[in-house]
Amino acid sequence: QMELSESGGGSVQAGGSLKLSCVPLTSVRRDCMAWFRQNPGQERQAVATYYGHTTKWYTDSVKGRFTIDEERNILYLQMTYLKPEDSGKYYCAADPASYGCFSDSPREDHFRTWGQGTQVTVST
C-alpha cells in the first residue's frame, strides 16, 4: 500500500522546468524525506533529501538546478534547466529515521515509505 502520492511529471524539452509534488496519503511519520530517480534496469538513485526545513542535500548533477522544499505537508521538487539525463521515474520517499538525510550517499534502504512514482522525460 502506497502511503505517498507523486504528481507533476511530464515531457519537456531540455532547458524546461517541472515541479513535482508528493502528498501523504496517510499520517505517516516523515521526518526525513527524499526524491529518488530510477531508469529501467538501474537502481534508484537519490536526487535530493529534506529534513525539517534546515537540512537539504542534492546529488552533484542537480545542484543549482533543483530545489527541494516542503509546504503544508506537501514535498516539492522544483526542477529547472532540465537535461535529458534528468529523465526517469521520480519517487518520493520518507522515513521517521534521519539516516538518509544525514548521509553523503542516501540509499533506497534508508527509506521505508514510498510513492508510486511519476515519469519525467526530457528531450533534446
Side-chain angles (χ1 to χ4, degrees):
Q1 179 181 356
M2 295 298 179
E3 299 182 76
L4 301 169
S5 178
E6 305 94 335
S7 61
S11 296
V12 296
Q13 288 191 325
S17 300
L18 284 173
K19 187 173 184 177
L20 306 184
S21 301
C22 173
V23 175
L25 300 179
T26 65
S27 58
V28 58
R29 186 175 166 187
R30 307 172 297 131
D31 292 348
C32 175
M33 301 199 69
W35 287 97
F36 279 72
R37 176 174 64 220
Q38 186 174 30
N39 283 296
Q42 298 180 9
E43 296 182 352
R44 289 183 190 180
Q45 300 292 325
V47 174
T49 65
Y50 178 93
Y51 187 84
H53 298 285
T54 59
T55 303
K56 301 179 183 181
W57 171 93
Y58 298 94
T59 192
D60 286 345
S61 65
V62 308
K63 286 179 180 176
R65 300 188 297 119
F66 289 14
T67 303
I68 189 170
D69 209 348
E70 182 186 28
E71 185 175 353
R72 297 182 181 178
N73 265 353
I74 300 174
L75 184 72
Y76 297 99
L77 185 67
Q78 176 69 57
M79 306 186 294
T80 62
Y81 301 102
L82 282 161
K83 303 176 181 180
E85 52 264 43
D86 296 322
S87 297
K89 195 164 189 179
Y90 282 72
Y91 294 88
C92 177
D95 201 89
S98 62
Y99 306 117
C101 285
F102 291 93
S103 169
D104 290 337
S105 299
R107 301 193 311 265
E108 187 175 350
D109 62 3
H110 284 144
F111 298 86
R112 284 170 279 186
T113 302
W114 292 85
Q116 82 289 349
T118 185
Q119 182 68 37
V120 171
T121 304
V122 184
S123 59
T124 55

